[in-house]
Amino acid sequence: STIGHPPLSTRKEASWIRQQPRRVRRHPSAAAAAAAAGATTSFRETPNYSTQSNFFSSSSSSIEPRKDALASSDGVVGVPIDFDTASSIEGKESQIVTIRLEPDQVLRAESGAMMYMTDGVSMNTTTGGGLSAGFQRMLTGQNVFISDYTYDGSSGPFGYVALGTDFPSKIIRLSLEEYGGKIVCQKGALLCASHTVDITMEFTKSFGSGFFGGEGFVLQGLSGTGDVMVKAGGALIRRDLREGEVLRISSGCLVGFQAGVEYDIQMVPGFKNVVFGGEGLFMTTLTGPGTVWLQGQPPQRMISEIARRVPSGGGIGLAVPLPGMGGGGDGGGEGDGGDSSPGSTAG
């Protein structure tokens, strides 16, 4: 019955041999080459997860703040704005400034100065460090609240913010690093700046300069790193003072001066100059060295001139025309011009 079939033990041994992996005999030179390339063979057989871990670690680091980001005194983190290429001042007598924003950049501006902002730009209005910081800015002529503008990159590589002034003014850009890191300005002079610029109070050194200097006892100090946009009324003048050089200016014409310039007042000499000169009893003196900026049309002077021409109460003035009375009474005006005709002038 077992003719033509091997024994049972022999069949089991043959089945076990078929289940074993086949071993390929290699030539000695081929075996040496395989041993030399062992790293490559092991990489193909065993995945190298260290490469994948490096990939995920590099991708996760992209959400971290950029290395060139700076933090402000109130904790706002952002990339500094290069105002040389990102700012554009337009207009002549009344100017506006347009700032180009990139993602992660922060522009700090006076609240209420925004004209427009493009899609993707967001505004965050805060006190900029608490109520004490807001109250301190209010004493320097700014608002209690301040606005930070950022761009999320959803509408292209750049976003734009345009800012205007509350009074017809010129706008000048100043770099704090070029002037020793600090500039002292008149109240309310700041329009916008880098988020790393701090607004502080600068007190006058004497009672007389605070009372008669035309700028009050508190001036606006701008310190830190970055650029500032300062507004000035009328023509803008820059003067570089030498050591010990004294510049006497009319009260209210001061825009700002570099830290190191001495700010004081001086009495106007001569009784007739005081009474009829129109400059008052005192003049502001600036002593170098340093740079000063002056304005040709102070807002206070223009406001006082407008108020002086407004008719006072107590009767019906020319500012309130009545129906049928024309615009200027018997002395002429548009009504008289309308009544004149060839027939009426005959004889």
Side-chain angles (χ1 to χ4, degrees), residues 260-292:
V261 176
E262 185 178 351
Y263 173 82
D264 206 344
I265 62 170
Q266 179 181 349
M267 183 176 292
V268 176
F271 176 77
K272 291 187 296 183
N273 294 332
V274 173
V275 177
F276 304 106
E279 301 298 335
L281 186 60
F282 295 92
M283 295 173 54
T284 303
T285 61
L286 301 171
T287 306
T291 304
V292 299

Side-chain angles (χ1 to χ4, degrees), residues 240-273:
D240 296 321
L241 303 181
R242 301 184 302 272
E243 178 73 29
E245 182 180 359
V246 179
L247 183 66
R248 293 175 293 178
I249 65 175
S250 178
S251 299
C253 291
L254 178 66
V255 176
F257 55 88
Q258 183 180 357
V261 176
E262 185 178 351
Y263 173 82
D264 206 344
I265 62 170
Q266 179 181 349
M267 183 176 292
V268 176
F271 176 77
K272 291 187 296 183
N273 294 332

Side-chain angles (χ1 to χ4, degrees), residues 5-25:
H5 296 279
L8 181 59
S9 60
T10 305
R11 283 184 293 172
K12 290 183 179 181
E13 182 178 357
S15 176
W16 178 82
I17 293 175
R18 286 194 302 267
Q19 294 176 3
Q20 298 303 312
R22 179 178 297 179
R23 296 180 181 179
V24 180
R25 293 185 179 182

Side-chain angles (χ1 to χ4, degrees), residues 13 26 72 77 83 113 120 132 139 159 175 177-178 180 233 302 347:
E13 182 178 357
R26 298 180 180 179
S72 62
V77 180
F83 283 89
S132 60
L139 294 179
S175 177
E177 286 84 352
E178 297 180 3
M302 184 174 181

Side-chain angles (χ1 to χ4, degrees), residues 66-72 76-86 99-108 149 177 193-197 225-227:
R66 290 168 48 175
K67 294 183 179 180
D68 54 348
L70 300 177
S72 62
V76 177
V77 180
V79 178
I81 301 174
D82 185 7
F83 283 89
D84 289 331
T85 58
I99 308 296
R100 186 188 67 194
L101 291 178
E102 300 178 8
D104 299 329
Q105 290 182 337
V106 179
L107 174 67
R108 179 156 290 184
Y149 296 90
E177 286 84 352
S194 303
H195 71 288
T196 53
V197 175
T225 60
D227 294 4

Side-chain angles (χ1 to χ4, degrees), residues 116-161:
Y116 70 83
M117 56 184 181
T118 58
D119 191 20
V121 177
S122 59
M123 178 178 63
N124 183 28
T125 302
T126 63
T127 57
L131 291 178
S132 60
F135 182 73
Q136 182 176 347
R137 281 195 309 274
M138 185 185 67
L139 294 179
T140 64
Q142 302 294 136
N143 294 325
V144 176
F145 296 92
I146 199 166
S147 300
D148 291 338
Y149 296 90
T150 56
Y151 178 57
D152 57 9
S154 60
S155 300
F158 305 114
Y160 295 90
V161 179

Side-chain angles (χ1 to χ4, degrees), residues 89 95-97 165 169-173 191 229-231:
I89 299 176
Q95 295 181 334
I96 66 171
V97 59
T165 61
S169 305
K170 298 287 182 62
I171 300 175
I172 179 175
R173 181 177 65 88
L191 177 62
M229 294 285 182
V230 178
K231 50 189 177 182

